[in-house]
């Protein structure tokens, strides 16, 4: 019995633009070979980074196709398909079954962590405030500090007004998005809109227009418009590490377009492709990067964004209860205010 490979892709991140073009329908047997062929072709025609990453997808087919047999069980098939997807080296690419999720995590695992949740709790203290997904406080040197560890946690305009009014007395502001693996682009853009007084071009997006690996639309501009609410006018330092990914990568890309913002810490993890989802004949879900985003210079942000000032946490500081990156940000902001 044949099942139809889904041609309708569920948009994971809500964006203020419409996906262009159509995705053709194909039929595949619900068999190990049929599911393999469906997945390989789905990536071949719709994944957006094959040429950019220099991946020979035909050679990947030749490696993994011989590993498929008619009598293999679901566990074995899932392993082969997951290993094939790992060749893309993309944290936005996943295979979902009822019992497991295939994922690629080396985009951050092989790098310094540069983050300690225990230290963050110490810096926030016991009387920090919470507004939506943000936790914030004022340090003794009159530097404001905001920790936003997950853009899946929404924040309202009222929350942002109250937060920025409370921090308004500060000489500078630290926004800590280390270990923020992403979430909702609406949330990250909503926060970024509080740091500009004019419309700012922050990058571009492209969409697949055909099955060829380089069949893309012309780049469409992405803007951040200033919020109608309270906006921050003073110096800002945004803290990043390799686990700053996806919507957080977009947030960092937008924030670096504002003149009063300095990026500090480690390179972000990347994740510049907008993820879309489909389904294999056996019902397993597939998520993959389908629309690449570019910076204002037309360069891909898939591989991450370098900080203006690279700082790693040290074991010596950690042993003394200090977060090296926060301390460097405080010193930077205090120097800017003097």
């Amino acid at each position: 019995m044949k099942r139809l490979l889904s041609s309708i892709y569920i948009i994971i991140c809500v964006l203020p633009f419409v996906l262009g073009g159509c995705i053709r329908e194909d039929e595949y047997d619900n068999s190990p070979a049929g599911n393999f062929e469906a997945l390989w072709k789905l990536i071949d025609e719709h994944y957006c980074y094959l040429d950019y990453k220099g991946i020979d997808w035909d050679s990947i087919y030749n490696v993994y196709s011989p590993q498929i047999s008619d009598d293999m069980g679901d566990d074995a098939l899932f392993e082969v398909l997951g290993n094939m997807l790992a060749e893309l080296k993309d944290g936005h690419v996943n295979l979902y079954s009822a019992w497991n999720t295939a994922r690629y995590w080396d985009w951050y695992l092989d790098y310094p962590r540069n983050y300690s949740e225990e230290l963050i709790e110490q810096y926030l203290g016991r009387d920090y405030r919470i507004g939506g997904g943000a936790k914030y406080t004022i340090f003794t040197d009159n530097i404001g500090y905001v920790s936003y560890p997950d853009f899946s946690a929404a924040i309202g305009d009222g929350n942002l007004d109250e937060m920025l009014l409370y921090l308004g007395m500060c000489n500078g502001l630290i926004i800590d998005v280390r270990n923020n693996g992403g979430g909702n682009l609406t949330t990250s853009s909503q926060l970024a809109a509080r740091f500009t007084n004019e419309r700012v071009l922050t990058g571009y997006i492209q969409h697949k227009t055909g099955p060829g690996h380089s069949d893309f639309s012309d780049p469409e501009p992405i803007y951040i418009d200033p919020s109608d609410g309270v906006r921050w006018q003073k110096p800002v330092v945004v803290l990043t590490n390799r686990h700053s990914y996806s919507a957080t990568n977009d947030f960092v890309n937008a924030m670096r377009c504002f003149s009063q913002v300095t990026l500090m810490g480690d390179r972000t993890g990347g994740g510049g492709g907008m993820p879309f989802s489909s389904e294999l004949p056996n019902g397993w879900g597939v998520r993959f990067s389908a629309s690449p985003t570019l910076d204002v210079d037309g360069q891909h942000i898939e591989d991450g964004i370098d900080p203006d000032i690279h700082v790693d946490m040290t074991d010596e500081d950690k042993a003394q209860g200090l977060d090296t990156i926060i301390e460097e940000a405080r010193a930077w902001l205090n120097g800017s205010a003097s």
Side-chain angles (χ1 to χ4, degrees):
M1 183 176 183
K2 295 184 177 181
R3 293 185 58 183
L4 193 62
L5 177 66
S6 172
S7 64
I8 301 175
Y9 288 74
I10 303 170
I11 301 179
I12 301 301
C13 296
V14 179
L15 298 172
F17 49 76
V18 178
L19 176 65
C22 298
I23 297 177
R24 188 177 65 248
E25 296 179 347
D26 293 291
E27 292 185 354
Y28 295 92
D29 289 325
N30 183 10
S31 64
N35 283 288
F36 172 83
E37 295 289 340
L39 179 59
W40 184 88
K41 190 169 186 180
L42 178 67
I43 298 301
D44 183 58
E45 294 189 348
H46 304 298
Y47 181 70
C48 66
Y49 288 125
L50 291 173
D51 278 357
Y52 168 69
K53 294 183 177 182
I55 297 172
D56 185 343
W57 197 235
D58 289 327
S59 70
I60 299 298
Y61 180 96
N62 294 332
V63 170
Y64 288 94
S65 179
Q67 301 179 37
I68 303 297
S69 62
D70 291 337
D71 59 350
M72 69 191 311
D74 284 347
D75 283 335
L77 176 62
F78 188 87
E79 181 178 1
V80 172
L81 298 186
N83 289 341
M84 181 173 73
L85 291 178
E87 300 282 356
L88 300 173
K89 303 186 187 312
D90 189 334
H92 273 151
V93 175
N94 304 103
L95 179 67
Y96 304 99
S97 69
W99 70 91
N100 205 356
T101 298
R103 62 272 188 195
Y104 179 79
W105 281 348
D106 286 351
W107 50 270
Y108 76 90
L109 288 178
D110 293 338
Y111 296 83
R113 184 169 177 82
N114 280 321
Y115 187 79
S116 167
E117 186 173 350
E118 181 180 358
L119 287 180
I120 298 302
E121 292 175 354
Q122 293 179 25
Y123 275 88
L124 284 169
R126 304 180 69 176
D127 298 321
Y128 66 87
R129 296 190 171 198
I130 301 175
K135 300 177 182 179
Y136 56 97
T137 191
I138 299 175
F139 293 151
T140 55
D141 55 358
N142 204 36
I143 297 298
Y145 175 77
V146 178
S147 172
Y148 213 127
D150 185 358
F151 281 135
S152 295
I155 191 168
D157 285 329
N159 298 135
L160 287 168
D161 285 343
E162 290 294 331
M163 180 179 78
L164 294 177
L165 285 171
Y166 177 77
L167 299 172
M169 61 177 287
C170 298
N171 295 325
L173 181 63
I174 298 170
I175 301 178
D176 195 342
V177 291
R178 290 175 297 171
N179 268 45
N180 185 331
N184 196 325
L185 273 173
T186 300
T187 301
S188 66
S189 298
Q190 186 181 10
L191 180 58
R194 297 301 181 123
F195 298 93
T196 181
N197 294 321
E198 59 186 6
R199 192 180 212 205
V200 175
L201 175 70
T202 60
Y204 302 88
I205 189 167
Q206 293 180 290
H207 306 295
K208 286 300 296 290
T209 58
H213 295 176
S214 294
D215 290 343
F216 291 105
S217 65
D218 291 335
E220 301 174 15
I222 301 172
Y223 296 95
I224 292 291
D225 290 308
S227 169
D228 292 331
V230 178
R231 298 195 293 269
W232 183 269
Q233 309 293 323
K234 302 174 187 178
V236 181
V237 174
V238 176
L239 308 187
T240 61
N241 68 352
R242 284 295 299 185
H243 208 151
S244 302
Y245 192 76
S246 191
T248 309
N249 195 59
D250 285 272
F251 173 75
V252 173
N253 180 59
M255 291 294 285
R256 66 174 171 168
C257 295
F258 307 147
S259 59
Q260 80 275 30
V261 175
T262 299
L263 307 183
M264 186 177 292
D266 200 358
R267 184 181 181 90
T268 65
M274 294 300 100
F276 292 78
S277 294
S278 188
E279 187 176 288
L280 299 184
N282 63 2
W284 292 350
V286 184
R287 186 176 79 146
F288 60 95
S289 299
S291 297
T293 50
L294 315 172
D295 65 17
V296 292
D297 297 319
Q299 301 301 307
H300 286 278
I301 60 173
E302 165 69 3
D303 296 325
I305 297 167
D306 284 321
D308 298 308
I309 303 173
H310 187 107
V311 181
D312 289 321
M313 290 179 63
T314 69
D315 292 335
E316 292 79 9
D317 281 344
K318 188 174 181 180
Q320 298 178 45
L322 297 175
D323 183 312
T324 313
I325 302 175
I326 290 179
E327 293 302 322
E328 288 289 336
R330 294 173 73 173
W332 174 265
L333 289 168
N334 282 313
S336 299
S338 62

